[in-house]
């Protein structure tokens, strides 16, 4: 069996990145020991890979030999070179991404075996296609735009980049990992691209776009084309355009046949349609990217907090979908007599229900947009958090237990409550509460228990593929050797760390971090070490 950072597939988005290969030679014979004669890895051997321990080696029934090797990918070009050197005709594959396949070959006294892993690489400046919610804010007519990450649980902003240009219609392209926007600074409209370094780069002019128009609404469709819209206003002709981001050219455009004012819209990954809020009719609307037509539906506006009647002053300036098909918008506060744009809402596009999520910064410019990536690739869907996150986020642990019940940690006991979970997460590997030193075996069991609990919550809350690693960890906790426990500990750590760089799902709220309170309620399970 071959693993890379604990998985059979791994995605690299920054350089240099060190990846850890685990090679496991398993004796699958049901009754007899087997002899591992040779072990080869043609792709990595030129870089120094060897199987340890030296071969041949006899492997008992149910036993295995494990070899570790670390390799550093210094650049995107390294990944391309490995893809050209492997035996897989599908690699390195078409740009913008590249990949390589690493295969391990083993010969036994009773036959042969092989196992492969695949590593995919993205160009260095691309952004991860995850649940990040980007918020752009620009002053009308002024060459100054800021881009921030918004926390969908609190609407708090973390600055990401700034640019000396007036851009809007921000949208994330899931096919190449860049945010795109329209620079509305006169005299020409320009296509702008923003990568992981935060730099806003002009790709090229878009002479087909109306000179007098400002294009506030933008979204990337499922096929990777970029749709922008400019609604009615003084001297403005309602118009739309569809842009090929690979070539930076307009492939279709036209005048909108229906009266609509949409400050931002977004593509629903569930049905592929474009949704926004029509400020003219105060209703949700579906936008046809082929004709520019709009179809309003649902009730008129959300009700305000005073009369319960539709709030006709309600304004939506930013819109984005998450991967589940929930629409998030930033709009007016629905309570009180003054109605600033400062509230994040979750919108059910089927029923038209607006649910307040959080209150954030007050918008004074009225030129804001969201950019999100609701079409994550299979390699980037798995969000995870390590044990440090769960030991300080009690609400996340409570949600984990509510989502699947008790957690069986084998020799560590059964976790039935948040307090017991915290007891495991804060348990010292070096000594008991009575300050009795733990043996090396006991220390490894404590560490494996923490990682197993963490992996279970990553699986329940975020859908991470951690269950096989959890099962192996429980087995070696009960009866494994020190070497086996160390191997499983490294594997679980890699599993729990793999998706740590990806944003938490927009609909998830793990609560505030509180180390002191979490530690104060920690209680060890009854059968813990």
């Amino acid at each position: 069996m071959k693993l890379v950072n604990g998985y059979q597939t791994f995605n690299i988005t920054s350089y240099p990145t060190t990846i850890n290969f685990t090679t496991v030679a398993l004796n699958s014979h049901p009754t007899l020991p087997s002899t591992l004669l040779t072990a080869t890895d043609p792709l990595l051997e030129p870089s120094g890979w060897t199987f340890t321990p030296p071969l041949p080696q006899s492997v008992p029934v149910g036993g295995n030999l494990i070899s570790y090797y670390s390799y550093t990918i210094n650049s995107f070009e390294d990944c391309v070179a490995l893809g050209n050197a492997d035996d897989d005709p599908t690699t390195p594959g078409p740009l913008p991404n590249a990949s390589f396949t690493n295969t391990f070959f083993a010969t036994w006294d009773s036959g042969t075996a092989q196992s492969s892993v695949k590593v995919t690489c993205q160009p260095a400046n691309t952004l991860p296609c995850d649940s990040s919610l980007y918020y752009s804010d620009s002053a009308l007519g002024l060459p100054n735009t800021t881009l921030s990450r918004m926390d969908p649980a609190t609407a708090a902003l973390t600055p990401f980049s700034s640019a000396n240009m007036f851009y809007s219609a921000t949208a994330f392209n899931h096919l190449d990992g860049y945010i795109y926007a329209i620079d509305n600074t006169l005299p020409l409209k320009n296509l702008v691209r923003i990568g992981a370094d935060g730099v806003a780069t002009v790709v090229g002019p878009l002479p087909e776009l109306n000179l007098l128009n400002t294009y506030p609404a933008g979204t990337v469709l499922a096929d990777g084309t970029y749709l922008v819209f400019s609604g009615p206003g003084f001297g403005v002709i309602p118009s739309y355009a569809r842009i090929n981001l690979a070539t930076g050219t307009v492939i279709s455009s036209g005048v909108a046949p229906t009266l609509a004012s949409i400050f931002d819209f977004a593509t629903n990954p569930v049905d592929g349609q474009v949704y926004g809020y029509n400020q003219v009719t105060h209703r949700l609307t579906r936008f046809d990217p082929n004709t520019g037509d709009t179809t309003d539906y649902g009730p008129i506006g959300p009700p305000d907090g005073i009369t319960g009647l539709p709030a006709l002053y309600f304004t939506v300036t930013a819109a984005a979908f998450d991967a589940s098909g929930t629409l998030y918008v930033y709009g007016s506060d629905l309570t009180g007599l003054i109605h600033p744009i400062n509230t994040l809402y979750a919108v059910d596009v089927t029923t038209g229900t607006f649910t307040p999520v959080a209150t954030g910064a007050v918008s004074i410019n009225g030129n804001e947009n969201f950019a999100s990536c609701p079409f994550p690739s299979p390699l980037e869907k798995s969000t995870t958090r390590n044990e440090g996150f769960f030991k300080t986020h009690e609400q996340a642990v409570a949600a984990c237990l509510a989502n699947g019940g008790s957690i069986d940690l084998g020799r560590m006991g059964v976790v039935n409550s948040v307090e017991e979970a915290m007891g495991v997460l804060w348990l010292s590997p070096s000594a008991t509460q009575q300050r009795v030193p733990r043996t090396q075996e006991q220390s490894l069991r404590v560490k494996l228990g923490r990682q197993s609990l963490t992996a279970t919550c990553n699986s329940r809350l975020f859908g991470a593929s951690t269950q096989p690693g959890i099962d192996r960890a429980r087995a070696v906790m009960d009866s494994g050797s020190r070497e086996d426990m160390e191997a499983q500990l490294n594997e679980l750590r890699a599993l729990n760390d793999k998706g740590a760089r990806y944003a938490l799902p927009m609909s998830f709220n793990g609560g505030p971090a509180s180390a002191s309170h979490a530690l104060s309620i920690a209680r060890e399970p009854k059968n813990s070490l």
Side-chain angles (χ1 to χ4, degrees), residues 177-433:
Y178 288 95
I179 292 173
Y180 288 86
I182 301 296
D183 179 10
N184 292 287
T185 309
L186 295 175
L188 291 175
K189 299 292 184 290
N190 290 306
L191 179 64
V192 175
R193 185 176 67 192
I194 304 162
D197 59 7
V199 176
T201 303
V202 173
V203 176
L206 298 169
E208 296 88 350
L209 300 190
N210 193 304
L211 180 64
L212 297 178
N213 287 23
T214 295
Y215 290 82
T219 185
V220 172
L221 306 177
D223 64 2
T225 56
Y226 178 40
L227 177 70
V228 297
F229 173 74
S230 178
F234 180 75
V236 174
I237 301 172
S239 60
Y240 68 97
R242 197 165 173 177
I243 299 165
N244 184 333
L245 292 174
T247 62
T249 57
V250 174
I251 54 178
S252 64
S253 61
V255 175
T258 53
L259 185 63
S261 177
I262 304 171
F263 294 151
D264 199 10
F265 48 32
T267 305
N268 187 346
V270 176
D271 62 17
Q273 298 191 69
V274 177
Y275 291 82
Y277 186 80
N278 190 343
Q279 305 290 158
V280 174
T281 62
H282 296 283
R283 300 172 71 192
L284 288 174
T285 191
R286 282 185 288 266
F287 189 95
D288 189 331
N290 297 310
T291 65
D293 202 0
T294 54
T295 304
D296 297 333
Y297 72 98
I300 297 177
D304 67 26
I306 301 175
T307 67
L309 298 174
L312 299 183
Y313 56 79
F314 184 69
T315 301
V316 167
T317 61
F321 274 98
D322 66 11
S324 68
T326 297
L327 176 65
Y328 287 82
V329 301
Y330 205 59
S332 302
D333 187 350
L334 291 172
T335 61
L337 299 177
I338 300 175
H339 311 291
I341 297 172
N342 68 348
T343 306
L344 182 67
Y345 297 88
V347 184
D348 186 322
V349 294
T350 301
T351 65
T353 303
F354 284 69
T355 303
V357 175
T359 300
V362 175
S363 164
I364 59 175
N365 295 319
N367 294 283
E368 297 79 37
N369 293 114
F370 280 151
S372 68
C373 189
F375 302 102
S377 66
L379 286 176
E380 295 216 29
K381 283 185 177 178
S382 185
T383 298
T384 61
R385 289 296 183 266
N386 62 26
E387 71 274 16
F389 173 84
F390 289 104
K391 73 191 298 185
T392 60
H393 287 78
E394 300 165 42
Q395 287 181 221
V397 173
C400 171
L401 292 169
N403 200 30
S406 301
I407 301 174
D408 183 3
L409 298 180
R411 290 275 293 274
M412 281 286 293
V414 177
V415 172
N416 297 295
S417 65
V418 173
E419 291 78 11
E420 290 181 346
M422 288 300 166
V424 171
L425 292 168
W426 286 93
L427 197 63
S428 170
S430 59
T432 68
Q433 287 186 333

Side-chain angles (χ1 to χ4, degrees), residues 475-508:
V476 300
M477 282 173 66
D478 290 345
S479 59
S481 66
R482 180 176 62 83
E483 291 78 12
D484 288 339
M485 284 195 284
E486 287 177 344
Q488 289 309 126
L489 182 61
N490 290 332
E491 179 183 338
L492 272 187
R493 278 178 176 158
L495 289 170
N496 290 326
D497 287 340
K498 181 184 179 185
R501 70 184 299 269
Y502 304 138
L504 293 169
M506 292 185 196
S507 58
F508 177 78

Side-chain angles (χ1 to χ4, degrees), residues 23-26 36 51-53 55 57-59 63-67 108:
T23 305
V24 183
L26 303 166
L36 180 62
F51 191 91
T52 54
L55 302 180
Q57 288 279 340
S58 178
V59 183
N64 61 68
L65 296 175
I66 303 176
S67 181
W108 299 81

Side-chain angles (χ1 to χ4, degrees), residues 5 37 106 117-118 173 223 257 274 276 313 329 360 456 458 466 506:
N5 284 24
L37 301 174
V117 294
K118 190 166 187 177
N173 184 8
D223 64 2
V274 177
Y313 56 79
V329 301
T456 300
N458 280 324
T466 57
M506 292 185 196

Side-chain angles (χ1 to χ4, degrees), residues 90 92-98:
T90 68
L95 295 176
N97 298 332

